[in-house]
């Protein structure tokens, strides 16, 4: 004889599992209560809208989830603080630089919880040095560069190469190269430091050595000049011609450029020579800084480019799986990033998040020149670089897939 069974009372699984989760926290474990752990929830989708498909998750394991945001730092708001720093340093009994080794402002992305980074992989600092200031010789694993904003003054020594700096110059200090900086000019000198430090930090791969040893002296602040200013250009600035009488290995790092110093004047002339070309609908006239020996990006992690937008030029929307830093070297206009409009002028800085739609427009009567740094080099090396374009009708096309 069959016995009629009473249906079991349904339990609220989600609630009960959340209660269990309060206990598993002590064991450093988490019971899955959502489809996909929140931190792994897809942030992008090919079918996503203008800002991507992501929203920040909630709950214990999502607590530390952070996503960079599109942002612009206005030069007219940031620069007064730089000059104030320089003034304080001039008047101080003990120079702040003696304790900090560097002097300036680090930019923080509003989406990244106060971390010293503007994207997931890139750190950006704006440095100011008074006459006589020296940032002592050191070497580290993060790749770095200087983008010079001052008209003149200042120098960087890299592996014994003296790089006298002017506005628009880029000086690379790759992984494993000794470098020091200073300013012999009467006026303060300003430049932007860019580094892949956050990436190296994530990988626990940061090392720094400050103990420069020069002919028996320790902690010499500045390296002796082994190669005079212009060495990089003489050796590697002859397009299509590479020196075969040296190893072209400079410093200890691997796969980085031996060309350390690009002059702003030469970058500008190169862009100008191409101004009659049609250019790219998403990028206009754009040049990449490459390792002259291999043609690869200057660093295995970061791609550096200079971009010319002619007067009135309006670019189409593009998005890339990489994140991008932009500094406006010339001109005025605006960028739309993730549905937000950012007007820009000389020396303004912007951060473009991964896979977020963006376009740039030159609204001025003169040229606009943008310098960009992105982690697309890393993503390409990992097989993760993709980019898409979107036309005025909203049709999405694959650029790189
Ligand atoms: Fe450094």
């Amino acid at each position: 004889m069959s016995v009629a069974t009473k249906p079991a009372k349904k339990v609220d699984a989600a609630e009960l599992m959340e209660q269990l989760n309060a206990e598993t926290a002590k064991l450093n474990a988490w019971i899955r209560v959502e489809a996909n752990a929140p931190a792994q929830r897809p942030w992008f989708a090919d079918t996503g809208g203008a800002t991507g498909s992501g929203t920040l998750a909630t709950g214990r394991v999502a607590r530390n989830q952070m996503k960079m945001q599109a942002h612009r730092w206005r030069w007219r708001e940031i620069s007064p603080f730089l000059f104030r720093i320089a003034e304080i340093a001039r008047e101080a009994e003990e120079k702040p630089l003696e304790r900090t080794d560097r002097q300036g402002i680090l930019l923080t992305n509003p989406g990244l919880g106060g971390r010293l980074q503007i994207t997931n992989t890139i750190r950006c600092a704006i440095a100011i040095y008074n006459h006589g200031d020296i940032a002592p010789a050191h070497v580290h694993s993060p790749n770095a560069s200087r983008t010079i904003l001052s008209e003149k003054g200042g120098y960087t020594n890299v592996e014994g190469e003296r790089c006298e700096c002017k506005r628009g110059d880029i000086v690379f200090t790759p992984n494993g190269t000794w470098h020091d900086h200073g300013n012999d000019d009467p006026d303060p000198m300003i430049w932007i430091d860019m580094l892949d430090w956050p990436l190296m930090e994530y990988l626990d791969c940061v090392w720094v050595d400050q103990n420069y040893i020069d002919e028996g002296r320790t902690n010499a602040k500045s390296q002796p000049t082994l190669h005079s200013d212009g060495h990089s250009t003489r050796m590697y600035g002859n397009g299509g011609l590479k020196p075969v009488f040296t190893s072209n290995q400079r410093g200890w790092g691997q796969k980085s450029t031996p060309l350390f110093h690009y002059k702003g004047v030469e970058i500008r002339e190169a862009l100008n020579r191409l101004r009659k070309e049609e250019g790219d609908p998403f990028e206009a006239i754009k040049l990449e800084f490459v390792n002259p020996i291999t043609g690869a990006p200057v660093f295995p992690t970061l791609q550096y480019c200079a971009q010319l937008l002619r007067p009135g030029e309006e670019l189409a929307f593009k998005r890339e799986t990489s994140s991008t830093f932009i500094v406006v070297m010339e001109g005025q206009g605006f960028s739309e990033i993730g549905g937000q409009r950012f007007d820009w002028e000389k020396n303004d800085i912007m951060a473009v998040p991964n896979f977020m739609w963006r376009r740039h427009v030159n609204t001025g009567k003169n040229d606009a020149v943008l310098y960009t740094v992105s982690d697309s080099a890393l993503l390409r090396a990992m097989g993760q670089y993709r980019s898409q374009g979107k036309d005025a009708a909203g049709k999405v096309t694959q650029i790189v897939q």
Side-chain angles (χ1 to χ4, degrees), residues 362-381:
N362 177 0
T363 56
K365 290 192 169 59
N366 299 312
D367 286 346
V369 175
L370 310 178
Y371 283 5
T372 64
V373 183
S374 89
D375 53 12
S376 60
L378 172 71
L379 288 160
R380 281 178 200 274

Side-chain angles (χ1 to χ4, degrees), residues 102 123 129 135-148 155-165 169-182 191-197 200 207-208 223 232 249-262 289 298-302 304 373:
R102 304 286 172 278
R123 172 183 286 189
Y129 292 92
H138 63 286
V139 62
H140 44 68
S141 54
N143 293 291
S145 66
R146 246 113 265 115
T147 302
I148 315 302
Y155 63 84
T156 290
N157 292 314
V158 198
E159 285 293 308
E161 177 172 342
R162 175 89 176 177
C163 303
E164 300 285 353
C165 299
D169 289 8
I170 297 184
V171 180
F172 293 113
T173 51
N175 159 27
T177 54
W178 282 98
H179 53 284
D180 55 86
H181 322 284
W191 65 66
I192 300 174
D193 291 303
M194 304 290 301
L195 306 99
D196 58 14
W197 196 293
M200 295 304 151
W207 55 261
V208 182
Q223 299 171 68
S232 270
Q249 171 72 29
R250 307 182 76 187
W252 307 335
Q254 297 153 23
K255 297 185 176 178
S256 293
T257 181
L259 200 173
F260 295 152
H261 189 188
Y262 282 86
F289 299 83
V298 285
F299 301 143
T301 51
L302 300 179
Y304 285 69
V373 183

Side-chain angles (χ1 to χ4, degrees), residues 269-285:
E269 280 173 5
L271 287 171
N272 204 42
R273 280 196 295 273
L274 298 169
R275 64 179 307 113
K276 296 261 166 59
E277 298 293 324
E278 191 181 340
D280 181 83
F282 310 103
E283 303 286 1
I285 302 295

